[in-house]
């Protein structure tokens, strides 16, 4: 069944959950080990991980031991966790193609859903998630984590004052080179699944996804039209390894996003960044750099690096923002307020990606709802 936009329009439930939020994990692999666990441990007053689920024994043991989850609350099948564990919410960190199933099942179990990006692999799946969330009256949140890094928060704060004027051009980039055996029987499962269409892999959905929402946030106006080339250029895989996107925003401003798995950055630290140029200045945020925040103040001042306060939690420098995103989400769950990044925003990002794929095939600009 396909739902209309009226059917799936998000209405944020005002139901509160316990504080700290009793959280169950669906998926305990790479992103959980690298980023999520350190956040949970740093927020003891906001979250208590009481159950974990993963079919891989090593993942289950690592997460369970590190988070001190009782053996009885470690599940090989997430459905058993939903049926037996006393939880307020789940955090979904599984391959992309599994997000819809896991989110819908969690909603049917009556628990709040926090999902890693993207919310789904198609708009049909996204609509099914929103229908299940609304029908069961459960909160739904997505991890647009880069928005919550300290330099991005500073950039958005400065733009909101209006002193920099109107954004007229935005750019985002994430360049990198995957290993030569990428897409084959790679020793790293997290690397291999990203090269498979059946599991929801691809450069645009796994990498450019972050630059899309970051640039759109800096521009302060929704993407309305998309032109793009999303292609497979280097690797023998059935998903894209290159995405070049051109956006026109509702207010007429333009922006671009470039992402690649087949072109090494000049330096690893400066491979991921986003910037906005306004009528009165410019801001650039580097996501992997010791000097992450730069501002252009005119011909006399030029570009200058501005200090950003040290984060509460020293996160993996290659990702960033998970601490702030989770902290805001847990606070919203506890207070019954709107999610910082809800299903409508996540669906919009997915709609931009689908428009980019269509634009590639049809060689024309595609409108976004």
């Amino acid at each position: 069944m396909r739902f209309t936009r009226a059917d799936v329009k998000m209405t944020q439930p005002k139901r509160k959950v316990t504080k700290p939020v009793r959280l169950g994990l669906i998926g305990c692999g790479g992103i959980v080990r690298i980023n999520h666990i350190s956040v949970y441990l740093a927020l003891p007053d906001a979250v208590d991980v009481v159950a974990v689920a993963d079919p891989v024994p090593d993942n289950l043991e690592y997460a369970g031991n590190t988070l001190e989850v009782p053996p009885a609350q470690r599940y090989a099948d997430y459905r058993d966790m939903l049926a037996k564990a006393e939880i307020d919410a789940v955090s979904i960190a599984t391959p992309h193609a599994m997000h819809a199933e896991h989110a819908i099942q969690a909603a049917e179990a009556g628990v709040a859903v926090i999902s890693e990006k993207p919310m789904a692999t198609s708009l049909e799946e996204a609509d099914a998630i929103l229908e299940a969330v609304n029908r069961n009256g459960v909160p739904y949140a997505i991890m647009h984590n880069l928005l919550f890094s300290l330099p991005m928060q500073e950039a958005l704060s400065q733009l909101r004052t209006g002193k920099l004027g109107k954004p007229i051009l935005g750019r985002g980039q994430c360049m990198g080179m995957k290993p030569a055996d990428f897409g084959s029987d790679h020793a790293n499962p997290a690397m291999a699944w990203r090269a498979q269409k059946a599991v929801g892999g691809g450069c645009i959905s796994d990498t450019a996804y972050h630059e899309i929402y970051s640039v759109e946030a800096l521009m302060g106006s929704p993407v309305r039209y998309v032109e793009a080339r999303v292609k497979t250029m280097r690797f023998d895989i059935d998903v894209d390894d290159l995405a070049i996107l051109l956006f026109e925003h509702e207010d007429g401003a333009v922006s671009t996003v470039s992402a690649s798995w087949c072109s090494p950055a000049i330096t690893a630290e400066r491979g991921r960044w986003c910037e906005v140029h306004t009528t009165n200045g410019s801001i650039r945020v580097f996501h992997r750099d010791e000097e992450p925040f730069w501002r252009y103040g005119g011909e006399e001042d030029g570009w200058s690096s501005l200090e950003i306060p040290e984060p509460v939690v020293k996160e993996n420098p290659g990702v960033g923002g998970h601490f702030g995103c989770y902290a805001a989400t847990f606070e919203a769950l506890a207070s019954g307020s709107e999610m910082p990044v809800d299903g409508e925003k996540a669906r919009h990002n997915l709609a931009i990606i689908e428009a980019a794929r269509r634009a590639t095939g049809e060689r024309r600009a595609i409108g976004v709802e």
Side-chain angles (χ1 to χ4, degrees):
M1 178 180 181
R2 178 162 185 167
F3 303 95
T4 67
R5 299 294 295 129
D7 292 329
V8 301
K9 184 172 178 58
M10 283 293 289
T11 54
Q12 287 293 335
K14 298 302 181 182
R15 185 183 64 181
K16 295 182 181 180
V17 299
T18 60
K19 190 174 182 179
V21 175
R22 297 173 299 179
L23 188 68
L25 307 187
I26 301 180
C28 304
I31 190 66
V32 176
R33 292 187 181 215
I34 296 170
N35 292 96
H36 295 187
I37 285 179
S38 63
V39 172
Y40 302 147
L41 293 174
L43 292 169
D45 295 330
V47 62
D48 182 14
V49 178
V50 297
V52 292
D54 195 300
V56 179
D58 182 60
N59 289 345
L60 202 61
E61 180 180 14
Y62 181 87
N65 290 347
T66 307
L67 295 166
E68 299 182 350
V69 176
Q73 295 301 317
R74 304 178 187 182
Y75 301 89
D77 191 323
Y78 78 95
R79 288 164 292 196
D80 292 333
M81 182 183 72
L82 291 176
K84 300 175 183 179
E86 294 184 1
I87 54 179
D88 300 309
V90 296
S91 177
I92 299 170
T94 52
H96 300 167
M98 300 178 182
H99 290 180
E101 173 193 328
H102 294 159
I104 291 170
Q105 291 297 318
E108 298 291 355
V111 299
V113 179
I114 307 169
S115 177
E116 264 293 346
K117 62 80 187 169
M119 69 184 297
T121 59
S122 70
L123 292 178
E124 289 78 9
E125 287 183 348
D127 290 346
I129 291 172
L130 297 183
E131 190 280 332
V133 165
N134 284 327
R135 175 163 43 81
N136 291 283
V138 299
Y140 178 88
I142 201 83
M143 285 287 107
H144 285 186
N145 51 284
L146 288 185
L147 293 180
F148 294 83
S149 71
L150 290 175
M152 274 296 289
Q153 287 286 295
E154 179 64 23
L156 294 170
S157 176
Q158 291 196 19
L159 288 166
R160 280 194 294 267
T161 67
K163 294 180 180 179
L164 287 171
K166 179 184 182 298
I168 54 179
L169 172 64
R171 295 199 301 156
Q173 174 183 293
C174 185
M175 295 294 179
M177 177 70 80
K178 295 296 187 185
D181 59 353
F182 179 62
S184 62
D185 293 331
H186 203 281
N188 182 352
M191 186 76 74
W193 75 256
R194 286 174 164 80
Q196 301 175 42
K197 184 177 182 179
V199 200
C203 178
I204 190 171
S205 59
D206 192 54
T207 300
Y209 185 101
H210 291 289
E211 276 59 53
I212 292 169
Y213 69 67
S214 296
V215 168
E216 187 177 53
L218 292 176
M219 296 299 289
S221 176
V223 170
R224 183 65 183 88
Y225 295 100
V226 179
E227 297 184 48
R229 293 296 183 267
V230 182
K231 308 188 75 173
T232 308
M233 301 297 294
R234 182 184 181 94
F235 296 101
D236 184 19
I237 55 180
D238 66 353
V239 294
D240 52 281
D241 58 17
L242 174 70
I244 308 297
L245 316 176
L246 170 64
F247 303 141
E248 181 177 341
H249 297 258
E250 283 190 358
D251 64 0
V254 295
S255 63
T256 65
V257 164
S258 303
S260 171
W261 288 348
C262 54
S263 53
I266 295 176
T267 63
E269 290 73 26
R270 292 178 178 248
R272 168 164 265 173
W273 51 263
C274 58
E275 67 182 17
V276 60
H277 303 277
T278 72
T279 51
N280 295 332
S282 302
I283 287 176
R284 174 178 278 201
V285 172
F286 290 100
H287 292 295
R288 301 175 180 178
D289 200 85
E290 292 183 356
E291 295 182 303
F293 186 83
W294 289 73
R295 188 175 65 192
Y296 180 79
E299 293 184 3
E300 291 187 4
D301 297 329
W303 284 96
S304 58
S305 173
L306 303 182
E307 289 189 8
I308 299 294
E310 281 291 314
V312 178
V313 176
K314 203 74 172 177
E315 295 187 270
N316 179 286
V319 182
H322 276 98
F323 177 84
C325 194
Y326 265 118
T329 300
F330 293 142
E331 176 58 34
L333 285 174
S335 64
S337 55
E338 292 187 2
M339 295 298 101
V341 182
D342 63 19
E344 284 293 318
K345 295 174 184 176
R347 188 191 188 280
H348 174 68
N349 220 64
L350 191 59
I352 293 172
I353 290 172
E354 291 212 356
R357 292 192 174 114
R358 279 189 58 196
T360 299
E362 300 178 24
R363 299 296 194 273
R364 67 182 182 90
I366 301 296
V368 179
E369 292 179 21

